[in-house]
Amino acid sequence: MTSRILLTGGAGYIGSHTHVALVAAGHDVVILDNFANAQRTVPERLEQITGKRVTLVEGDVRDADTLAKLFARHEIDAVVHFAALKAVGESMARPLAYFDVNIGGLSTLLRAMDNAGCRRLVFSSSATVYGIPDEAPTPETAPFRAMNPYGQTKITGEQMLGWLQAANPEWAVGILRYFNPAGAHGSALIGEDPRDIPNNLMPFVAKVALGELPRVSVFGNDYDTADGTGVRDYIHVEDLARGHVLSLEKLLSTRQGHIVNLGTGRGYSVLEVIAAYQRATNRDIPYQITDRRPGDVPIYVARADRAVEVLGFRTEKGLDEMCASSWKWVSGLAGKA
Ligand code: NAD
Ligand code: WQD
């Protein structure tokens, strides 16, 4: 059955890939984005990939008027709420901006949805809600631990949604805790916006492979992991996008809320990622071991079985495909620069 889905932040990295997956699954999509962290070219790129017109509302998720008009104009069946600020370091320096966009934006959106009678939502959460977890792989039952204002906003968002569902059973919310999204669409038309010097590992490694940065700083090799470097559960952004389709379809067909990790259940170290990128590109990627990055977690790996049970979600693409698609995307951009 075709549904009409609103994607807040739909022009961003994960939102744009989810747009493609939703259109492929036969749904109509409306994007709301203020382009705070997205390229203006994304909507036309999405049209190239899907062969369908993109319905775009340019606006801010904190703007109640824009939302009221949007819900009055389009009959929205469900929302995926991506729009948020997401840089951990920036959140330490500018917590109020994070409270405003991530918590204020969510609250404004929920009010507008409730007024419009649209009560199905998929929420972008993060493994960061687990802080430094006691167990790896980490199950969804692990306790919340805020390590920074960004993480706090995801915990608060999840808790708000829990209270809302408790107050009114009409609400059905899918909370998706992403591990480390990586890679790009196979067409290389969309990917992660590489505007600034990246904080995250794979986009940084990509810039070293391109020769735009001299070397990767490996943040510590004295963790209690096989090679001493940090271990993460990298998930291909196209797999992640498919997870949203499954979550939405579950909410639309059953009205059952869920909280699931989206990861592969397999971890890779920083050195393994560098080696995989080297293989994918056939380029030398110099690195040096530096101090640990303050606040870093040694190991983040998802317990991935609940996503299989509840959503039938299984990842299909591995680290090599993440590196290859990332490279196709960033080298294509560099070619055009
Ligand atoms: P992104 O920055 O690429 O996408 C966010 C989008 O929201 C951008 O297009 C931006 O322009 C838009 N936006 C920001 N503020 C807005 C506002 N006030 N009104 C309207 N639009 C606004 O980020 P992403 O990586 O695609 O992340 C999407 C979601 O997933 C976020 O909620 C993020 O916290 C969460 N998440 C991301 C990761 C990750 O590593 N990328 C991991 C876990 C969770
Ligand atoms: C991965 C590994 C680093 C850069 C962050 C957020 C988290 C989530 C995803 C949104 C770690 C190491 C990194 C570098 C390195 N975002 N590293 N050199 O820290 O798992 O998570 O992004 O929710 O909230 O905290 O991802 O890609 O920054 O780091 O050695 O230049 O790579 O120490 O072990 P992280 P990351």
Side-chain angles (χ1 to χ4, degrees):
M1 207 187 77
T2 299
S3 298
R4 180 162 296 151
I5 313 292
L6 170 64
L7 303 184
T8 74
Y13 175 44
I14 304 167
S16 58
H17 290 80
T18 301
H19 178 104
V20 173
L22 281 168
V23 172
H27 300 293
D28 291 334
V29 182
V30 177
I31 291 177
L32 171 73
D33 205 297
N34 68 355
F35 292 88
N37 193 37
Q39 301 279 5
R40 296 268 163 196
T41 50
V42 169
E44 71 199 45
R45 298 286 181 93
L46 291 174
E47 291 182 349
Q48 269 179 269
I49 296 172
T50 62
K52 296 248 166 72
R53 292 303 301 249
V54 166
T55 307
L56 168 71
V57 176
E58 184 167 343
D60 197 300
V61 74
R62 292 165 293 177
D63 181 351
D65 252 17
T66 298
L67 290 174
K69 286 191 189 121
L70 191 158
F71 281 102
R73 170 130 194 243
H74 304 278
E75 264 195 28
I76 303 290
D77 297 302
V79 178
V80 187
H81 182 44
F82 295 105
L85 303 179
K86 62 162 184 177
V88 170
E90 184 191 50
S91 82
M92 300 286 280
R94 301 176 57 222
L96 290 177
Y98 279 68
F99 301 155
D100 186 29
V101 176
N102 296 10
I103 298 175
L106 174 63
S107 177
T108 308
L109 173 68
L110 294 175
R111 164 62 63 203
M113 288 177 66
D114 204 55
N115 288 343
C118 170
R119 299 191 180 90
R120 291 168 172 111
L121 175 79
V122 174
F123 179 64
S124 293
S125 191
S126 168
T128 199
V129 300
Y130 300 125
I132 297 183
D134 298 328
E135 11 169 7
T138 305
E140 288 85 351
T141 49
F144 285 144
R145 279 182 194 145
M147 303 268 293
N148 48 64
Y150 169 72
Q152 180 65 62
T153 65
K154 293 295 174 188
I155 292 171
T156 302
E158 287 201 22
Q159 289 172 329
M160 286 162 62
L161 293 165
W163 290 117
L164 191 57
Q165 289 179 99
N168 181 353
E170 286 277 295
W171 276 93
V173 177
I175 289 175
L176 305 182
R177 295 180 181 154
Y178 318 151
F179 279 64
N180 288 58
H185 191 259
S187 64
L189 287 167
I190 53 172
E192 198 166 5
D193 185 346
R195 246 180 275 183
D196 304 318
I197 294 187
N199 298 312
N200 293 121
L201 180 63
M202 197 171 294
F204 197 102
V205 170
K207 288 211 178 264
V208 175
L210 283 170
E212 291 178 17
L213 293 169
R215 72 191 67 80
V216 183
S217 297
V218 175
F219 299 143
N221 66 349
D222 56 354
Y223 287 109
D224 187 14
T225 61
D227 65 20
T229 66
V231 168
R232 294 293 183 273
D233 184 338
Y234 297 92
I235 174 168
H236 196 296
V237 66
E238 287 192 81
D239 278 332
L240 190 58
R242 219 168 22 81
H244 291 74
V245 178
L246 293 171
S247 173
L248 277 166
E249 289 179 346
K250 179 90 183 174
L251 294 180
L252 289 163
S253 61
T254 67
R255 272 198 183 276
Q256 291 281 307
H258 46 266
I259 300 176
V260 297
N261 287 335
L262 291 183
T264 65
R266 161 91 156 89
Y268 289 96
S269 73
V270 177
L271 296 182
E272 284 176 313
V273 170
I274 294 173
Y277 216 90
Q278 218 152 243
R279 282 198 303 279
T281 59
N282 245 328
R283 296 198 171 194
D284 188 36
I285 300 176
Y287 67 84
Q288 71 181 23
I289 309 292
T290 64
D291 288 345
R292 290 181 177 195
R293 183 170 64 178
D296 250 350
V297 178
I299 304 182
Y300 260 138
V301 176
R303 266 274 294 271
D305 47 344
R306 196 192 276 185
V308 177
E309 282 156 30
V310 175
L311 303 179
F313 175 75
R314 281 187 181 79
T315 54
E316 291 170 359
K317 294 170 190 275
L319 183 62
D320 290 339
E321 280 159 297
M322 296 179 222
C323 295
S325 61
S326 155
W327 180 240
K328 193 171 163 197
W329 158 245
V330 297
S331 54
L333 285 178
K336 283 178 207 116

